[in-house]
Amino acid sequence: MERVVIVTGANSGIGLALCERLLTEDVQLRLCLACRNMQRAEAARAALLTSHADAHVDLLHLDVGSMKSVLDAAQEVKTRYRKVDFLYLNAGIMPNPQVNIGAFFKGLLSRNAIRMFSTAEGLLTQQDRLNADGLQEVFATNLFGHFLLIRELEPLLCQSSHTSRVVWTSSSNASHSAFSMEDIQHRNGTEPYSSSKYASDMLSVALNRQKNSQGLFSSVICPGLVMTNLTYGIVPSFFWTLIMPIMYLIRVFTNTFTISPYNGAEALFWLFLQKPESLDPRAKYHSLTSALGRNYVQPQQMDVDNETPEVLFAKLLELENFVKKNDHVGYI
Ligand SMILES: NC(=O)C1=CN([C@@H]2O[C@H](COP(=O)(O)OP(=O)(O)OC[C@H]3O[C@@H](n4cnc5c(N)ncnc54)[C@H](OP(=O)(O)O)[C@@H]3O)[C@@H](O)[C@H]2O)C=CC1
Ligand SMILES: CC(C)=CCC[C@@H](C)[C@H]1CC[C@H]2C3=C(CC[C@]12C)[C@@]1(C)CCC(=O)[C@@H](C)[C@@H]1CC3
């Protein structure tokens, strides 16, 4: 039976590179590109079909930042497919990023320089805003929309007859200190991206605890630093081009500069090939590229305790109920 794979944010960057790699591995897949912009989705589909003419590539309209769109898309998935084998939760945003140049140069001269380059800890802030549902946009897009999607697709993901997988594209920028259980949407801080990625790490742990027995397995990856629309939003592309030789030099000290979307998708692709029972539910799987350009995957324990993931899960369920009850715009 053909495997059904859904990828959110599949029209560019790491998501699109993953799709290319999945089709190279198994052209029999039923691959569904879940995107908010159908013109970009069509272009991605056309590009994939150029190299894999016989592939089954479906398109699904999904804006993970809009709760109505998530509910509609989930309904559509349920009418199209009888099961979902892989759900890649890859769509993500980092709006209005600001680099703290002072902290960058200070970090450069410190013993933590390498860590700074792989996590950007203390370097980046963003300006978030409310979406049409009244939720913080970064939280809604990077985390909550994906949570709601999983919840709506549970009948297809949690089947005793077979195992299903969800895979989160998180980040090494996920940080415990940026997240507060009293402010899960990060309304009051300046690091909504770090906060949302840390929340996805915790949610994955909670999902494994609650759903493994029902055949659903969740994993988390970090693609490393990859040149995509997201990073071109942090500093312009000409700047990246200018410092590219330095980037390759930094790769000698940290293998987290994967740079190309193909390399960045390594851990996502690697997980596709693994048996879920062999994976560590508390590990983040990192895409890494050596100075000589060799790609590999390494697990790292996540900075997540035993109790907090369950608390977050309960809060997300509460918010889900609230959103569904108040399906008017701007009520939350
Ligand atoms: N690049 C990097 O260095 C790193 C990236 N990541 C993560 O990787 C993931 C992919 O990002 P990347 O490939 O780098 O960047 P891109 O901007 O190229 O890809 C992001 C994708 O998400 C889609 N997307 C954004 N918002 C929504 C939405 N509301 N609904 C549906 N789709 C949406 C974008 O669609 P559209 O084209 O319409 O904007 C795009 O297809 C993100 O989760 C990001 O946080 C993590 C660590 C490092
Ligand atoms: C101002 C100069 C000379 C250089 C600035 C370099 C930073 C822009 C750069 C250093 C580490 C990078 C980094 C990310 C963004 C760009 C940097 C801050 C990420 C935060 C991108 C998104 C992610 O999710 C992380 C894994 C990246 C970590 C490293």
Side-chain angles (χ1 to χ4, degrees), residues 62-67 70 139-150:
L62 169 65
D63 178 346
V64 268
S66 153
M67 298 312 111
V70 173
F139 165 82
T141 308
N142 296 1
L143 185 85
F144 188 64
H146 284 135
F147 170 77
L148 200 56
L149 185 62
I150 296 173

Side-chain angles (χ1 to χ4, degrees), residues 19-206:
C19 292
E20 183 66 50
R21 293 189 68 166
L22 291 175
L23 291 178
T24 304
E25 171 66 24
D26 179 4
V27 81
Q28 309 290 351
L29 285 184
R30 183 151 287 275
L31 183 60
C32 176
L33 316 184
C35 306
R36 64 176 163 182
N37 180 315
M38 295 319 278
Q39 239 177 329
R40 287 182 217 150
E42 281 289 0
R45 181 173 184 270
L48 292 169
L49 291 178
T50 308
S51 41
H52 307 279
D54 299 332
H56 307 284
V57 182
D58 300 337
L59 301 183
L60 175 72
H61 181 253
L62 169 65
D63 178 346
V64 268
S66 153
M67 298 312 111
K68 180 176 180 330
S69 172
V70 173
L71 298 178
D72 290 350
Q75 202 49 47
E76 177 64 26
V77 169
K78 283 189 263 190
T79 61
R80 278 192 207 172
Y81 313 114
R82 288 190 5 241
K83 58 166 182 133
V84 172
D85 293 281
F86 274 82
L87 174 57
Y88 281 98
L89 306 166
N90 168 76
I93 54 166
M94 184 195 274
N96 313 305
Q98 298 282 323
V99 182
N100 183 337
I101 301 289
F104 175 75
F105 284 107
K106 211 170 143 195
L108 207 55
L109 302 172
S110 78
R111 289 161 61 201
N112 290 330
I114 299 299
R115 186 177 159 76
M116 177 186 82
F117 278 118
S118 56
T119 65
E121 200 176 272
L123 277 193
L124 277 180
T125 55
Q126 302 90 31
Q127 243 172 15
D128 203 359
R129 58 174 188 184
L130 290 181
N131 70 5
D133 297 312
L135 297 169
Q136 292 296 130
E137 194 179 22
V138 176
F139 165 82
T141 308
N142 296 1
L143 185 85
F144 188 64
H146 284 135
F147 170 77
L148 200 56
L149 185 62
I150 296 173
R151 293 276 302 151
E152 291 296 309
L153 294 182
E154 267 185 21
L156 276 66
L157 290 168
C158 300
Q159 293 180 349
S160 53
S161 52
H162 96 304
T163 54
S164 294
R165 314 269 299 273
V166 298
V167 182
W168 297 85
T169 307
S170 178
S171 164
S172 53
N173 189 245
S175 130
H176 191 169
S177 62
F179 178 83
S180 160
M181 197 57 83
E182 281 65 55
D183 182 18
I184 60 170
Q185 296 195 40
H186 204 82
R187 287 185 197 274
N188 302 315
T190 55
E191 298 174 276
Y193 183 82
S194 286
S195 169
S196 69
K197 294 295 181 184
Y198 184 71
S200 73
D201 296 355
M202 283 199 290
L203 181 51
S204 180
V205 171

Side-chain angles (χ1 to χ4, degrees), residues 244-259:
M244 205 39 84
I246 305 175
M247 304 264 291
Y248 281 101
L249 185 70
I250 294 172
R251 218 191 229 179
V252 175
F253 303 100
T254 170
N255 295 351
T256 59
F257 276 33
T258 46
I259 300 177

